[in-house]
Amino acid sequence: MKKTHMRSGRTRQRGVVLLFCLVILVVLLAGGVAVMRSMDTSLAGAGNLAFKRDLLNQGELAVSKVMTAFTAGGALDNATKTAASLPSANYSAIELVTNARGIPDVLMKKGSGPTGSDVYGNTFAPTGADIEGGTSDVKVRYVIDRLCNTAGSFATLGKTRCVYTPSNTQVTGGSSQRAQDDLPAPVPAIYRLSIRVDGPRDTQVFMQTSFTNPE
């Protein structure tokens, strides 16, 4: 009778150990699934960051093209950049309407033939083709607007109608008493270049920079 009682106790003990092992295995399995999901999320995030970094680099194509257009003989040489707009160069001589983040509304629209407006309410419809990126699924679109509220040369409009950058000439000593007419003239009006780059996996980045150019 005693031997039978001892065997029954050992059998019950073995059943409890097996139950604990099953519970631990379930916990470990759930933890492994959570770790795998976390790794997948991290890898996806790292991939998206890599795509965005690559798109930022490819967005520099628009900067190079615009700088070329502003050189002598380019599409936006002195003879044309004071006109109201030059749609073929994606250019407006009047400041464009923007969203809350300062991106021109026309650049937020997808598809061919997007339209927007300048601060006077005139329709602005750029027709310049998108720039092809390094691969067929990367497109670079841009617009340029001069930060003035009307068309015309900066020499005529002056600082009352345009945003401009004053000369940063340091005045020291007796030169601080010079007549106002002797001070350097302000730098010409500011141009704003806004860029949107569309890439794979619906990745999209925006870039914006400003520059000046003599008129």
Side-chain angles (χ1 to χ4, degrees):
M1 295 297 292
K2 291 183 179 178
K3 291 182 179 180
T4 302
H5 177 72
M6 290 176 65
R7 289 175 182 173
S8 178
R10 290 175 181 174
T11 301
R12 287 197 297 270
Q13 289 177 3
R14 290 173 183 173
V16 172
V17 171
L18 179 61
L19 179 61
F20 275 110
C21 289
L22 290 175
V23 172
I24 293 172
L25 286 174
V26 170
V27 172
L28 291 175
L29 179 61
V33 172
V35 170
M36 291 181 64
R37 288 182 177 178
S38 176
M39 290 180 62
D40 290 341
T41 302
S42 298
L43 289 174
N48 287 336
L49 288 175
F51 276 128
K52 288 186 176 182
R53 173 55 59 184
D54 179 59
L55 295 183
L56 285 173
N57 293 334
Q58 298 197 52
E60 297 293 335
L61 292 171
V63 177
S64 177
K65 183 174 181 178
V66 170
M67 292 299 100
T68 301
F70 272 84
T71 58
L76 291 170
D77 198 2
N78 291 340
T80 57
K81 65 188 178 185
T82 57
S85 65
L86 189 63
S88 61
N90 298 339
Y91 171 75
S92 171
I94 304 174
E95 183 179 354
L96 297 175
V97 174
T98 64
N99 62 11
R101 296 187 176 183
I103 304 297
D105 290 343
V106 66
L107 199 63
M108 302 298 296
K109 299 179 181 179
K110 290 190 175 183
S112 59
T115 60
S117 61
D118 59 33
V119 292
Y120 271 171
N122 302 312
T123 300
F124 176 65
T127 58
D130 294 344
I131 301 174
E132 295 287 341
T135 56
S136 59
D137 52 2
V138 176
K139 305 292 182 183
V140 182
R141 179 172 294 184
Y142 67 92
V143 292
I144 316 155
D145 59 333
R146 189 178 64 159
L147 301 185
C148 297
N149 59 15
T150 188
S153 66
F154 178 73
T156 302
L157 301 176
K159 62 184 181 180
T160 60
R161 308 301 294 272
C162 298
V163 176
Y164 74 101
T165 304
S167 296
N168 193 25
T169 303
Q170 186 176 8
V171 180
T172 58
S175 61
S176 62
Q177 305 300 321
R178 291 185 303 175
Q180 186 67 28
D181 293 340
D182 294 333
L183 295 177
V187 175
I190 296 175
Y191 296 84
R192 177 173 57 190
L193 171 61
S194 304
I195 306 168
R196 189 189 81 210
V197 188
D198 297 317
R201 300 184 185 178
D202 294 327
T203 308
Q204 189 177 76
V205 298
F206 290 88
M207 304 167 60
Q208 195 169 73
T209 187
S210 60
F211 60 95
T212 60
N213 188 269
E215 295 182 359

